[in-house]
Amino acid sequence: MATDSQESSHSDAAAISIQGVEVRYGELLALQKVNLHIQPREFICLLGPSGCGKTTLLNVIAGFVHPTNGRALTYGRAIEEPGPDRGMVFQEYGLFPWLTVRKNIQYGPKLKGSCSTELDEIANKYSKMVGLERFCDSYPGQLSGGMRQRAAIARALANQPNILLMDEPFGALDAMTRQSLQEELLQIWELERKTLVFVTHSIAEAVFLADKIIVMSAHPGRIEHIVDNTIARPRNRTADAHFQMCRHIELLFQGAGKCGNTRPGE
Ligand SMILES: Nc1ncnc2c1ncn2[C@@H]1O[C@H](COP(=O)(O)OP(=O)(O)OP(=O)(O)O)[C@@H](O)[C@H]1O
């Protein structure tokens, strides 16, 4: 496997450690010998064409999918099932449409037995963090796509996970909303310092967001490159460094002959 950076050490301190993970769905090898070590508070993007196993890898970390071979750990403990230490945000919002924004945000903490004062504090804190404090009594169906995705992020954060897993969370949004949410997500990440694993098809999105970009290819799904994104924060999408990094990654895809539908600026 070619890498731009040396892999992190195999440390129990890794927030996420993926060791020789393979996933088979019947005859299909969806992931082949994936090794990846993610340090606490890193922002990682999984980037690659459709079918390269990005969601499968995220689901292994979430505990929804069990590796056929190899193992996945968080802070040295084997991942065997989903848990509140790992929050998930999906492309299609994943909100309960019959609950208001407030009740969606409070859902996880309520299950854990938080009292009504705590629930009020949680709803206030996270609705404010995502700019929805005036929409706490709205239902998801009354919100725009971007607002629904903000609510989904607030709901995931309300459980106070160490790790936030996001599966193409902005893929269904228009370009302007998508850029705003990318900026808001970075502000939240800098405030909350979660370990963040973010799936995307977009090179530009990965370059804007990530500390490390995991370049994957399909058939079978595997990691082709791990790129350290050294562009200083705060980042500027119109800076030369941004374009150069997009081009570097584009060339990695072309080199692998598997560029798929990823393009700088997408
Ligand atoms: N539950 C399943 N049963 C059988 N095959 C599956 C299952 N889930 C995924 N696959 C297959 O595994 C491969 C990897 O799928 P996965 O969804 O992880 O890729 P992806 O990179 O996230 O794709 P996309 O970008 O289109 O969402 C694909 O060929 C897919 O069809």
Side-chain angles (χ1 to χ4, degrees):
M1 181 183 79
T3 61
D4 272 16
S5 66
Q6 292 297 315
E7 270 192 41
S8 309
S9 62
H10 290 236
S11 157
D12 278 358
I16 300 163
S17 184
I18 306 292
Q19 302 177 359
V21 161
E22 297 198 343
V23 173
R24 275 187 185 280
Y25 298 113
E27 293 293 300
L28 181 89
L29 186 55
L31 285 179
Q32 183 183 48
K33 287 205 169 56
V34 170
N35 291 293
L36 181 63
H37 304 281
I38 300 174
Q39 299 310 315
R41 301 177 181 173
E42 271 190 315
F43 197 134
I44 300 294
C45 277
L46 305 180
L47 176 69
S50 191
C52 71
K54 302 180 295 295
T55 296
T56 298
L57 183 52
L58 209 67
N59 282 337
V60 167
I61 299 169
F64 296 133
V65 168
H66 293 283
T68 316
N69 287 304
R71 57 186 199 151
L73 304 100
T74 174
Y75 291 98
R77 293 187 316 275
I79 295 170
E80 276 158 10
E81 57 186 3
D85 58 319
R86 284 152 288 141
M88 192 105 180
V89 178
F90 303 93
Q91 183 172 356
E92 290 304 328
Y93 318 124
L95 296 168
F96 296 127
W98 60 89
L99 295 181
T100 61
V101 167
R102 181 192 321 280
K103 291 213 180 316
N104 265 286
I105 294 172
Q106 293 172 333
Y107 185 82
K110 193 171 177 188
L111 278 186
K112 281 198 286 186
S114 297
C115 69
S116 62
T117 312
E118 287 166 340
L119 290 175
D120 283 344
E121 282 168 9
I122 287 167
N124 291 341
K125 175 179 175 182
Y126 291 103
S127 63
K128 191 169 178 205
M129 191 178 288
V130 300
L132 286 182
E133 63 270 48
R134 290 189 299 112
F135 296 90
C136 275
D137 296 319
S138 301
Y139 288 88
Q142 299 173 303
L143 305 177
S144 69
M147 290 160 84
R148 285 202 288 269
Q149 211 48 317
R150 286 190 185 95
I153 291 169
R155 194 173 83 154
L157 290 173
N159 290 316
Q160 299 191 299
N162 294 324
I163 295 168
L164 197 55
L165 306 171
M166 305 185 80
D167 195 354
E168 291 189 60
F170 307 149
L173 304 176
D174 65 87
M176 298 292 280
T177 308
R178 187 171 182 163
Q179 290 197 357
S180 301
L181 275 164
Q182 289 165 359
E183 282 153 26
E184 289 169 33
L185 179 63
L186 283 178
Q187 284 167 12
I188 291 169
W189 171 70
E190 278 163 16
L191 193 71
E192 295 271 298
R193 304 308 285 172
K194 307 287 180 199
T195 306
L196 220 152
V197 186
F198 186 107
V199 166
T200 182
H201 284 109
S202 164
I203 292 175
E205 184 166 67
V207 169
F208 187 67
L209 293 175
D211 294 321
K212 258 184 207 154
I213 300 167
I214 312 303
V215 177
M216 299 181 68
S217 63
H219 311 301
R222 62 190 181 277
I223 295 177
E224 288 283 353
H225 303 273
I226 300 176
V227 180
D228 276 326
N229 186 358
T230 51
I231 301 174
R233 298 180 189 273
R235 292 180 177 158
N236 176 353
R237 299 172 207 274
T238 59
D240 284 349
H242 180 86
F243 289 117
Q244 281 164 16
M245 183 61 80
C246 287
R247 182 175 146 76
H248 173 60
I249 293 171
E250 176 78 19
L251 290 172
L252 292 178
F253 276 108
Q254 285 181 9
K258 300 202 171 59
C259 188
N261 53 1
T262 50
R263 287 281 185 277
E266 194 177 87

